[in-house]
């Protein structure tokens, strides 16, 4: 489906509509949480301050470098422990599962946070359709490996390709999103075009960009940052203000654009929706 420019919601209208929605529907959708406290970060900030090591470790350099991404055509594969493995075009995927708006907080281990209005669909929809086998316990996600486009992959800054993972229960959770857009527009390259994961209760590094493969498997996948710096990054990566990482405390955060720091919330404020996933586990021991 092509979206005519006239159908794209301008940012100002989008913000007004959001304010109207915060009373009921938006909350029920599980999209956001606390209303006015969470004013969406501006398009300009979301698209100019980016972590994307395939381009550069310099957040301010990414947007310019990422102009060469060429996110179309783009094939995505669903494979491994599923009854119906498939490879399909990213636009086909969006047509098949539709696109919803979800406004989520994003919290990076570097201590900054934003509020981002994503467009996308629940990963659960895609997984259900692929029909996981009884052996599917984890979902592994893989970013495109193409040093001709991703200049950063010419150097061994990280073990490429970038890889992430979730348990099947986390992957099936209704908050877990595959994002295709921002503010009603196509996802910009620097934010992980054309398809990226968004897991709002986990640190930002779990939200892997520019995905080409989604693999269901029995074993827990080895993930990129957990291999690169295990003292700071682990497989679980739930936002938890009580657990300090090697890089320091995670008890507070800076909402980009604000002067005073905020308290970081357990599960990034989504505890009510996700705490049950960790019933019987000591969440302070899950790194
Ligand atoms: N493939 C890939 N995905 C990635 C990263 C990356 O370097 N490469 N950085 C992660 C980190 S550390 C964060 S905080 C978020 C940042 O997303 P944003 O630039 O859209 O705000 O993307 C995550 N996804
Ligand atoms: Mo991050």
């Amino acid at each position: 489906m092509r979206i005519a420019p006239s159908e794209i919601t301008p940012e100002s209208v989008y913000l007004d509509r959001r304010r109207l929605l915060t009373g009921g529907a938006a909350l029920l959708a599980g999209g956001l949480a606390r209303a006015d406290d969470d004013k969406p970060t501006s398009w300009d900030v979301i698209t100019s301050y980016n972590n994307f090591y395939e381009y550069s470790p310099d957040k301010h350099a990414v947007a310019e470098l990422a102009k060469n991404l060429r996110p179309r055509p783009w094939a995505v594969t669903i494979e491994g422990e599923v009854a119906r493995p498939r490879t399909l075009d990213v636009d086909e995927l969006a047509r098949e599962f539709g696109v919803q708006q979800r406004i989520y907080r994003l919290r990076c281990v570097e201590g900054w946070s934003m509020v981002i209005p994503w467009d996308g669909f629940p990963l659960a929809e895609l997984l259900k359709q692929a029909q996981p086998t009884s052996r599917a316990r984890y979902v592994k996600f893989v970013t495109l490996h193409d040093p001709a486009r991703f200049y950063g992959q010419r150097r061994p800054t990280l073990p490429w390709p970038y890889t992430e993972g979730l348990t099947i229960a986390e992957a099936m959770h209704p908050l877990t999103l595959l994002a295709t857009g921002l503010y009603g527009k196509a996802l910009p390259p620097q934010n992980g075009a054309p398809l990226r994961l968004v897991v709002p209760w986990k640190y930002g590094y779990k939200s892997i960009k520019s995905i080409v493969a989604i693999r269901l498997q029995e074993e827990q996948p080895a993930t990129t940052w957990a291999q690169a710096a295990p003292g700071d990054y682990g497989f679980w990566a739930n936002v938890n203000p009580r657990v300090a990482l090697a890089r320091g405390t995670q008890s507070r955060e800076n909402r980009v654009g604000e002067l005073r720091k905020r308290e970081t919330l357990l599960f990034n404020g989504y505890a009510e929706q996700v705490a049950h996933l960790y019933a019987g586990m000591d969440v302070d021991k899950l790194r």
Side-chain angles (χ1 to χ4, degrees):
M1 181 189 61
R2 280 274 147 87
I3 300 174
S6 58
E7 288 176 61
I8 295 169
T9 315
E11 193 177 326
S12 54
V13 175
Y14 192 99
L15 294 178
D16 282 349
R17 187 164 65 201
R18 219 220 108 222
R19 248 169 248 131
L20 289 175
L21 282 173
T22 44
L27 300 190
L28 281 178
L32 185 50
R34 272 163 304 282
D36 292 335
D37 222 25
D38 285 317
K39 194 161 106 11
T41 304
S42 73
W43 167 272
D44 287 348
V45 169
I46 295 171
T47 60
S48 64
Y49 187 83
N50 301 99
N51 271 334
F52 203 167
Y53 276 60
E54 282 81 347
Y55 283 108
S56 169
D58 174 357
K59 279 186 253 305
H60 301 279
V62 168
E64 182 61 31
L65 294 171
K67 283 181 175 161
N68 80 341
L69 180 60
R70 282 189 282 116
R72 299 290 188 289
W74 191 278
V76 182
T77 300
I78 318 301
E79 60 192 16
E81 291 294 343
V82 290
R84 292 191 60 204
R86 292 170 84 186
T87 295
L88 70 176
D89 179 75
V90 71
D91 293 323
E92 236 175 89
L93 201 67
R95 255 197 309 277
E96 199 167 318
F97 298 105
V99 169
Q100 323 170 6
Q101 299 172 333
R102 295 283 184 91
I103 304 172
Y104 287 160
R105 290 178 289 279
L106 176 82
R107 168 64 158 82
C108 174
V109 286
E110 293 163 339
W112 54 267
S113 65
M114 296 187 192
V115 179
I116 306 186
W118 302 106
D119 304 294
F121 55 89
L123 172 63
E125 309 266 317
L126 175 61
L127 297 183
K128 279 184 223 154
Q129 204 241 31
Q131 297 171 19
T133 72
S134 59
R135 280 189 297 275
R137 296 182 56 217
Y138 294 93
V139 185
K140 170 181 169 178
F141 305 85
V142 186
T143 294
L144 175 71
H145 189 233
D146 182 1
R149 279 188 274 180
F150 285 152
Y151 311 115
Q153 289 178 338
R154 296 175 196 175
R155 275 169 276 124
T157 15
L158 288 175
W160 309 115
Y162 196 104
T163 302
E164 259 306 336
L166 296 172
T167 65
I168 189 86
E170 293 171 332
M172 295 296 285
H173 193 282
L175 286 182
T176 303
L177 200 71
L178 280 175
T180 54
L182 265 188
Y183 272 114
K185 298 173 204 167
L187 202 58
Q190 59 269 37
N191 294 94
L195 188 74
R196 63 100 51 92
L197 182 70
V198 185
V199 193
W201 71 94
K202 293 181 180 278
Y203 290 116
Y205 67 89
K206 298 298 284 187
S207 292
I208 179 174
K209 297 178 169 183
S210 304
I211 295 170
V212 291
I214 300 175
R215 183 179 192 85
L216 286 86
Q217 57 186 52
E218 197 162 8
E219 328 76 53
Q220 180 174 306
T223 55
T224 294
W225 280 106
Q227 289 170 273
D232 277 328
Y233 310 96
F235 176 80
W236 294 95
N238 294 319
V239 174
N240 186 341
R242 299 189 295 249
V243 176
L245 305 180
R247 65 191 311 136
T249 173
Q250 294 293 320
S251 65
R252 302 204 301 156
E253 68 195 61
N254 178 245
R255 182 68 51 84
V256 177
E258 292 182 352
L259 293 177
R260 275 204 303 132
K261 291 211 168 185
R262 293 168 175 255
E263 301 292 319
T264 287
L265 304 173
L266 182 63
F267 295 117
N268 205 20
Y270 299 96
E272 213 178 293
Q273 291 102 319
V274 303
H276 70 91
L277 293 171
Y278 311 100
M281 304 182 201
D282 180 350
V283 295
D284 292 353
K285 295 239 162 67
L286 297 180
R287 164 70 60 77

